[in-house]
Amino acid sequence: MLSTLTPSLLTESDYLNLSQKHTIRLSFPLSAGHSYLLYYELDRKNVQTPFPAHARGFFYFGPRPGLPLFAASLRFRCTPTAHPSSFDDGHDLLLSNGLPWQRLLVQAVMSTFPILRDQLLREGHLTLDGLERWRIRLDGRGGHVFSSRWLFGLHQQFPVDFGVDMNLVVVGRPHQDR
């Protein structure tokens, strides 16, 4: 059970050792006994790969510099100690492709992870008004949102597997020809 996702409010009790675990269940004090399951990554056959041996640290939520709030994500910060003061000395957990492990805010907005959404509302990272605006923009996208496949700017790195079909969705203001 985590007390917060806000880096400045972390305590030693929020420190987790995910080393070699295939999944982890997260919950929060006000999540009414509910939790949600997180995994590190899936291989090509959809088999879960365990978290790496160095995966010890803190889950946190944070915006990404130069990108809109909607690009913010739940991430895992690997730290040298269990003390929250080591947060800045740590590094974000990376996937095997070199991109950060994350669960995007868009997943919370689309109610894939309602416990995450509710916690972000409680901590003030989200507002109900903002949540509704994004839900309207994403209406009809289904509930399947994959963290590594969303771009919020053309300068972002992203993996591409040309061996599978791709579906591109653009969310933003419509372009008007003049």
Side-chain angles (χ1 to χ4, degrees):
M1 182 170 294
L2 300 180
S3 67
T4 186
L5 294 172
T6 304
S8 63
L9 301 176
L10 291 168
T11 67
E12 286 188 27
S13 66
D14 294 313
Y15 180 85
L16 296 172
N17 180 354
L18 308 181
S19 177
Q20 301 306 310
K21 294 182 183 204
H22 285 269
T23 59
I24 181 158
R25 286 196 177 278
L26 289 186
S27 62
F28 301 96
L30 297 177
S31 59
H34 298 279
S35 63
Y36 69 100
L37 193 65
L38 292 171
Y39 59 88
Y40 177 57
E41 67 182 331
L42 300 174
D43 66 15
R44 287 187 172 266
K45 296 179 181 176
N46 283 333
V47 175
Q48 292 175 352
T49 303
F51 284 92
H54 69 277
R56 295 178 180 94
F58 301 92
F59 281 102
Y60 75 98
F61 179 79
R64 296 164 62 191
L67 295 174
L69 174 62
F70 198 62
S73 59
L74 172 70
R75 293 190 179 202
F76 188 81
R77 186 79 164 182
C78 298
T79 60
T81 71
H83 198 275
S85 64
S86 69
F87 187 88
D88 290 336
D89 297 328
H91 63 277
D92 284 347
L93 179 64
L94 300 179
L95 296 169
S96 60
N97 64 12
L99 295 175
W101 179 95
Q102 63 184 343
R103 294 301 178 262
L104 293 172
L105 177 57
V106 67
Q107 293 171 307
V109 169
M110 293 178 72
S111 299
T112 305
F113 300 118
I115 292 168
L116 177 58
R117 179 200 61 224
D118 294 347
Q119 184 67 23
L120 294 174
L121 284 166
R122 278 193 287 278
E123 291 188 35
H125 295 290
L126 270 180
T127 64
L128 288 173
D129 181 53
L131 187 64
E132 187 56 28
R133 277 191 312 232
W134 281 105
R135 190 171 290 143
I136 290 168
R137 280 184 148 174
L138 295 167
D139 188 37
R141 302 285 179 248
H144 306 289
V145 178
F146 300 98
S147 296
S148 62
R149 298 185 186 148
W150 279 70
L151 296 178
F152 297 94
L154 295 178
H155 63 282
Q156 287 182 258
Q157 293 181 344
F158 60 95
V160 175
D161 182 350
F162 291 105
V164 298
D165 291 337
M166 284 190 275
N167 180 20
L168 300 176
V169 176
V170 177
V171 178
R173 294 186 182 115
H175 178 72
Q176 294 178 353
D177 292 326
R178 294 175 194 237

